[in-house]
Amino acid sequence: MTRSFLGWPAFPEAAEREVGNRQLRENVRRATHTIRGKRAVLAAERPDWEALRDAAAGIKDQVLANLESHLLQVEEKVTAAGGTVHWARDAAEANRIVTDLVRATGEREIVKVKSMLTEEIGLDAALEAAGINARETDLAATIVQLGDDLPSHVVVPALHRNRTEIRDIFVREMGRHGRPAPEGLTDEPAELAEAARLHLREKFLGAKVAVSGANFLVAETGTLVVVESEGNGRMCLTLADTLISVVGIEKTVPSWQDLEVFLQLLARNATGERMAPYTSTWTGLGPSKGADGDGPQTFHLVLVDNGRTRALADPTGRQALRCIRCGACMNICPVYERTGGHAYGSVYPGPIGAILNPLLKGLDDPQTASLPYASTLCGACNEVCPVRIRFTDVLLDLRAQVADGGKHPVERAALGAVGGVMEHQAAWKAAVKSIGLVGPLLLPRKIRLPGPLGGWTDSRTVPAIPRESFRTWWKRTEGDAK
Ligand code: SF4
């Protein structure tokens, strides 16, 4: 049975479990530091880097403001090019559409191009329940699938694994799903890549149906774009007779000129490369077999909402829909570095997961309501995001929504009381003065508050309280406190 994040515990509980795993922390630290170092060098190479970020954010905001008309244009162009467009409101509808389409072909084994959206909607499990075996073809996604594991990063789903663990998975599992790992396989990267290549080649050559996502959807021509490093996507897109692309509605860009901006940003920001090794684009059907011979003879595009219009309705949070899934916010995040991706209980971990999951799913569930707190608010993610998402603004807004919704009544009451005092200058001055007088005497540096507040004080030290406030100090030294 395909594993999923369904029923995952809230972030504090899941993170506590993950930070106890030294091997995982070491794997994540090494991988994120390597990628972010390469990204920093490549971003600094471009004198127009900040202008590109501005342009990307502007294009995405324009798309989000006019999403309906762009999507209708996509539908018109894809249909004119011989494809069929399907609309899915949620995960269940998307899974039903894809399952029915695969069933109609009569195939029982299909290949997949790595797609976070199909992970988000649990497509593999839905296909499995219908007796259809979907095999991943991206190397990292293959490692996750063979290891009966879950993705922990949007670009490198097996980032939490080191090469010895990967070798063990290959030796143990490859034979159960096709061509076994070669005899005497070591953990040398070249040998591991060759083992994966041989195992996957059988899948590519045998598959009649492929499922992909897309990084971008160019509205003016109805063209889908997949950006990848290994060429497995190109194989799936060109060899299969039937191609089913499952794409989030926010992936739209208006024109090829707009696409150019994102292609300059994505690879540099994601993997520290000037260009991705493979950028595949396709519009509707491929040429007829027997002519050029490449490309699908049947093409379906499934456009998926699954909470995106809910996120769009949030005035502060809607900027999360600009995300192009480069993973840079994960690679820079001090929380992600220590917990890894599984602690976030979603295929979208790290800073983008902390805001996108609550926006897509709502804050009623304790798991999603815990995510806006999975941040130190250091703002490092703000600095690396190619589409200028202001994570700290969204996190604070979501925390306010959680508090307003009664999920944290103690925090809400405390903030209400503080707010009441701050609104009245005399009360505020008196409070500050009395804290300065009695605080240092009464408050030890390490305290434990009772009940649910204990979780807060367990991991914090009370800062030393100065004997006089800034206002008092100013008045004493400068003579005039306003
Ligand atoms: S939120 Fe920004 S930095 Fe994070 S994955 Fe998306 S585009 Fe990249």
Side-chain angles (χ1 to χ4, degrees), residues 6-22:
L6 212 64
W8 212 253
F11 184 82
E13 192 186 327
E16 191 170 6
R17 188 180 61 204
E18 299 296 303
V19 294
N21 184 338
R22 285 176 65 109

Side-chain angles (χ1 to χ4, degrees), residues 154 269 323-330 352 384-387 389 391:
V154 294
N269 224 54
C323 175
I324 56 171
R325 313 278 190 265
C326 73
C329 55
M330 284 148 236
I352 186 60
V384 297
C385 179
V387 286
I389 294 173
F391 293 89

Side-chain angles (χ1 to χ4, degrees), residues 194-356:
E194 180 62 10
R197 191 176 293 121
L198 294 171
H199 179 81
L200 292 171
R201 187 159 292 268
E202 278 187 359
K203 309 287 179 201
F204 293 129
L205 296 177
K208 298 271 185 288
V209 180
V211 170
S212 84
N215 295 88
F216 305 100
L217 199 48
V218 184
E220 71 177 350
T221 52
T223 302
L224 285 85
V225 183
V226 161
V227 180
E228 42 129 6
S229 298
E230 298 163 19
N232 64 297
R234 180 77 55 87
M235 298 278 271
C236 293
L237 301 172
T238 50
L239 287 175
D241 291 334
T242 299
L243 175 61
I244 305 167
S245 298
V246 190
V247 183
I249 53 176
E250 83 286 13
K251 293 295 178 77
T252 314
V253 296
S255 69
W256 285 80
Q257 201 173 359
D258 298 316
L259 177 67
E260 182 195 335
V261 172
F262 294 99
L263 292 183
Q264 291 178 79
L265 285 165
L266 182 54
R268 283 174 193 263
N269 224 54
T271 48
E273 296 169 293
R274 291 189 181 88
M275 256 191 89
Y278 296 88
T279 301
S280 302
T281 69
W282 70 101
T283 309
L285 304 181
S288 309
K289 297 277 182 201
D292 292 355
D294 283 344
Q297 302 306 294
T298 309
F299 172 60
H300 296 275
L301 170 62
V302 184
L303 289 168
V304 182
D305 183 328
N306 203 34
R308 282 151 180 81
T309 47
R310 173 205 281 264
L312 197 58
D314 185 309
T316 307
R318 67 190 312 183
Q319 60 187 296
L321 296 175
R322 293 181 197 153
C323 175
I324 56 171
R325 313 278 190 265
C326 73
C329 55
M330 284 148 236
N331 303 332
I332 203 78
C333 177
V335 176
Y336 178 92
E337 183 181 328
R338 282 154 185 85
T339 65
H342 292 164
Y344 297 80
S346 158
V347 296
Y348 305 117
I352 186 60
I355 61 174
L356 188 61

